[in-house]
Amino acid sequence: MSREGSGPPPGAIVHAEGLTKTHHGDRAPVHAVRDVDLTIGEGEFVAVTGPSGAGKSTLLHLVGGLERPDSGRLWIGGERVDGHGEAGWAVLRRRSVGIVFQFFNLVSHLTVADNVELPALLVGTPPRAARASRDELLAELGLRGRENALPGELSGGEQQRVALARALVNQPALLLADEPAGSLDSKGTRDVLRLLSRFHARGQTILMVTHDARMASAADRVISFFDGRVADDAALGDPAPARPGVTGVLDLKD
């Protein structure tokens, strides 16, 4: 790939060219992401692993618009987004990008039902359709009967399932998961892994950051991230069906 880049290939949900991000604080600058090129095809499940401080969460945050790159170009679903302001990113996240965090980030004073339904209402889904989508997800995620509970009344695993339902209620093209089982016990980890695998089997594109080898083993590809760079990019198991123009390979330039 040339440095000028050629834009996203057909079938690419995520395409990045030369993404770079440096964090500036009281100490020396931290080069979190260093000139990374990345392509993720429709329907892929990609796990990013690496030691703490490697820059893997920063990479995910750049893809989700939670941080802005210092340089580089980024497309989501074929749309150039690296120049978006917060308003543009807010619209994109509501419609096309679902995000699940390690610590759930649920609205503490809203019920389970309201936490899941709110993103659908924000994009203009009619209330009846929003409730139907909410109810379907809560039932599938084993949360029927918990609709009126507050987040503080739930176990950690239940809260993460609510967070997953909230991220999926608008049927996003891309699901980002930042250490989705990092604060859960072994049962909660197994539950989240099973649910992510289920949605991936239906065609959901997933980019997940994890330090857990069990979680990473569910992915199609595992990218090992170190010092802001890609140390390895390997396909797991049977290769995904070929997609024209999508190699499924992450290129890195020095």
Side-chain angles (χ1 to χ4, degrees):
M1 182 183 296
S2 67
R3 174 44 63 215
E4 288 77 14
S6 56
I13 293 294
V14 176
H15 183 70
E17 298 174 355
L19 279 190
T20 298
K21 180 66 177 181
T22 299
H23 294 141
H24 299 275
D26 296 334
R27 301 181 180 180
V30 176
H31 303 290
V33 174
R34 302 171 183 251
D35 199 25
V36 169
D37 295 352
L38 170 66
T39 298
I40 298 174
E42 181 179 356
E44 278 197 290
F45 186 171
V46 178
V48 181
T49 67
S52 177
K56 55 189 186 296
S57 286
T58 298
L59 177 63
L60 184 139
H61 291 173
L62 292 174
V63 172
L66 302 174
E67 298 186 50
R68 305 290 187 272
D70 298 327
S71 61
R73 303 196 295 173
L74 176 65
W75 290 260
I76 302 293
E79 177 185 358
R80 178 83 180 268
V81 298
D82 52 87
H84 278 11
E86 183 51 44
W89 269 110
V91 171
L92 183 66
R93 284 193 295 265
R94 288 172 185 167
R95 296 186 180 277
S96 302
V97 181
I99 306 178
V100 180
F101 299 95
Q102 176 177 352
F103 296 109
F104 324 130
N105 286 12
L106 301 174
V107 181
S108 62
H109 65 274
L110 294 182
T111 65
V112 165
D114 289 342
N115 264 282
V116 175
E117 187 177 339
L118 181 60
L121 296 175
L122 288 174
V123 299
T125 303
R128 180 176 296 180
R131 286 194 298 271
S133 296
R134 173 201 77 192
D135 291 345
E136 180 180 352
L137 278 166
L138 290 178
E140 180 164 10
L141 298 179
L143 291 164
R144 191 187 299 276
R146 304 295 274 161
E147 293 89 347
N148 295 321
L150 294 173
E153 299 170 338
L154 305 178
S155 69
E158 288 174 327
Q159 289 187 64
Q160 191 59 294
R161 279 182 275 156
V162 175
L164 183 57
R166 180 185 60 183
L168 292 169
V169 72
N170 288 330
Q171 300 179 330
L174 175 65
L175 177 66
L176 303 178
D178 191 359
E179 296 283 7
S183 61
L184 302 180
D185 60 17
S186 58
K187 180 184 182 302
T189 297
R190 289 194 302 271
D191 287 345
V192 170
L193 178 58
R194 173 176 53 82
L195 293 168
L196 289 176
S197 296
R198 179 190 301 171
F199 283 99
H200 171 236
R202 298 175 187 171
Q204 178 67 56
T205 306
I206 302 172
L207 176 61
M208 175 180 68
V209 163
T210 183
H211 67 276
D212 190 325
R214 294 171 298 173
M215 297 290 291
S217 69
D220 297 324
R221 289 166 55 198
V222 175
I223 295 173
S224 299
F225 216 62
F226 182 76
D227 195 25
R229 302 178 184 275
V230 175
D232 189 40
D233 183 354
L236 300 182
D238 294 331
R243 301 179 181 92
V246 178
T247 65
V249 175
L250 187 151
D251 299 319
L252 189 66
K253 307 286 192 302
D254 288 326

